[in-house]
Amino acid sequence: MTSPSLGAQVRLDTHPTHASAVIATVTGPDTAEIVAVLEADAWHTVAEATLVLVRIDREEPHWAQKTADRLTADGVTVAITPRLQEAIDEEWTWANYPMHWCTREEIREVSDQAQQIHDAIRHGRLRIHAHAHDGHTTVAVGTYTTGESIHLHGEDHLRVENYTYGSGPDAKSEALTDFRRFHGDAVRPGPAPLTRTEREADQARRPLPAQPTTTTSRQVSVPVYAADPANAPAVLDRFVTDRPEWDKHHQWPAEATYALHESLTLRVELYYGHAPGPQDEMWTIAAYESPVGDRLWHATATAGTPAGVITTLLDSLTDEHDWSSTPWAASTAHPDRKPALPLADYSWEATITETGSVWTSPDGDCRLQRSQSGWEAQGNQSWTVRFSRHTPPEIIQQVVFELAEGLGPRLGTSLTPRPPAPCPAPRAARPPASGVHSPTPRGR
């Protein structure tokens, strides 16, 4: 790394959509020089003076810290946002990591070697001649532009060179011959299709959309069911950080992150496939009778679900306050409709349909439905939360109370503040979440 001007400033933050990628924004004098330095350090330009660090091993925060250290040593002012600092400081491990004997640093070393192979293929320094599936993972044969031919084994952060053949045409021919002999009819020409992780990384390297300016957009307060979607990774991070009895893990092969309760009977999974649609399922919460027992109940939420709804759902798993003091929880009337009892105080309209009971918000933008399969809350076709039949009614009721009274932020160009329900009842004390003592992490 060169020694750039001392006046330059770099701000490092988490990526707005990719779960682990890091964004660098460069300001001040000699911006072009700093951008060049970052590009040489594997950062990719996505907008003017804005770069992204995206890897296939989910280790971007770790490597962003190393970049920050080198920039600081060269006299550049570097600011790291609190949420990125939390990601840098977080200690996590891959679930079911195949080389379980490796230390955390050794895992990072293996991952970095896989990253170098990935970068060599992406930048054309390593040409893949053929690939196959050996019954467990993807294998391939290729040749570096330097002339050395190799065999590869594994995918994403577990890909390694397992045979080398030296340089020259004879080495390439031998590598191809051996590869066909090892894998027979499974051999296919060219590189293997991109993995999900590789596709998501490519998406994160695309140019960032222009950010709205303060003159054309503003944030307003709206009913929680009409609020903007939650920043899902940040919501899960806060949930785990505030609760030492929960641990966060990354599911191999990097398709999801999950939080596991120490009882091993409650599990929250966040699937972070790139750019999911609002109605694509992103959250799964499941409870089990024992660490190896059958599933008792589960709930799912789509990517468009607002933060207030998701946060309330997660909080309901852990709140140990007594429900007996609340009229809704203490009520024994209509036990089959218990989750919907709070709505009567907030002017929601109840109707009966062929598929079950439906409660609709006064503005018509949210509805709660009960059917034989369970309960479903939906916000104006933009998000959906579903609860299976045996979900504790106190958990559903917490979410319903939030829908009835909660407010949330929304950013738009033509939005005007929308009141909660017309003529609402006086604000009631939020009923503490159920003391669900048989919560369930998601042990499969």
Side-chain angles (χ1 to χ4, degrees), residues 101-232:
W101 57 87
C102 290
T103 65
R104 190 70 185 88
E105 287 307 311
E106 288 170 340
I107 290 174
R108 282 199 175 111
E109 184 178 348
V110 172
S111 297
D112 191 43
Q113 291 171 358
Q115 182 69 42
Q116 293 177 37
I117 294 172
H118 170 77
D119 290 341
I121 296 172
R122 190 168 68 89
H123 293 297
R125 298 191 300 270
L126 173 57
R127 180 188 175 192
I128 302 301
H129 309 302
H131 71 277
H133 197 281
D134 68 356
H136 301 283
T137 189
T138 299
V139 292
V141 56
T143 301
Y144 284 99
T145 53
T146 56
E148 182 183 33
S149 293
I150 59 167
H151 285 185
L152 298 173
H153 180 276
E155 298 175 350
D156 299 330
H157 63 292
L158 296 175
R159 183 158 46 190
V160 297
E161 297 180 7
N162 60 340
Y163 290 102
T164 59
Y165 288 84
S167 302
D170 292 341
K172 175 181 175 181
S173 178
E174 182 183 1
L176 283 166
T177 299
D178 283 352
F179 190 77
R180 295 189 181 99
R181 177 165 56 86
F182 293 156
H183 304 291
D185 293 340
V187 175
R188 298 291 182 269
L194 295 179
T195 66
R196 182 193 302 274
T197 299
E198 290 171 329
R199 292 196 301 270
E200 291 176 0
D202 283 347
Q203 292 278 358
R205 282 188 287 265
R206 291 185 178 180
L208 290 176
Q211 297 298 310
T213 65
T214 56
T215 58
T216 59
S217 62
R218 60 193 178 113
Q219 192 176 80
V220 296
S221 184
V222 297
V224 69
Y225 50 76
D228 286 334
N231 180 336

Side-chain angles (χ1 to χ4, degrees), residues 256-412:
T257 297
Y258 64 87
L260 188 65
H261 188 265
E262 62 185 2
S263 68
L264 303 183
T265 57
L266 271 177
R267 179 165 165 168
V268 177
E269 181 175 298
L270 171 61
Y271 168 71
Y272 42 71
H274 181 77
Q279 288 286 17
D280 290 338
E281 284 189 1
M282 175 177 278
W283 297 86
T284 301
I285 297 170
Y288 296 81
E289 61 182 4
S290 72
V292 294
D294 294 334
R295 186 166 70 178
L296 299 175
W297 60 266
H298 69 280
T300 61
T302 63
T305 306
V309 178
I310 288 294
T311 300
T312 299
L313 175 56
L314 295 178
D315 288 347
S316 72
L317 304 177
T318 62
D319 199 318
E320 297 179 355
H321 293 287
D322 185 4
W323 263 76
S324 61
S325 61
T326 66
W328 302 319
S331 173
T332 57
H334 309 294
D336 59 329
R337 291 185 290 162
K338 184 173 181 177
L341 293 180
L343 301 179
D345 292 341
Y346 291 89
S347 304
W348 286 50
E349 181 181 357
T351 56
I352 303 296
T353 70
E354 294 180 356
T355 57
S357 301
V358 177
W359 291 262
T360 306
S361 63
D363 60 9
D365 284 349
C366 187
R367 59 182 248 157
L368 176 74
Q369 180 170 358
R370 173 184 173 272
S371 66
Q372 292 184 346
S373 61
W375 291 80
E376 176 180 292
Q378 188 174 80
N380 199 24
Q381 306 297 318
S382 62
W383 61 266
T384 303
V385 175
R386 295 184 177 91
F387 301 91
S388 66
R389 286 185 59 190
H390 300 296
T391 303
E394 294 85 0
I395 286 180
I396 305 174
Q397 199 172 80
Q398 278 290 287
V399 175
V400 171
F401 184 88
E402 178 69 14
L403 294 176
E405 186 175 87
L407 297 175
R410 185 172 178 182
L411 187 67

Side-chain angles (χ1 to χ4, degrees), residues 76 189 238 251 381:
V76 180
R238 285 194 296 270
Q251 178 173 308
Q381 306 297 318

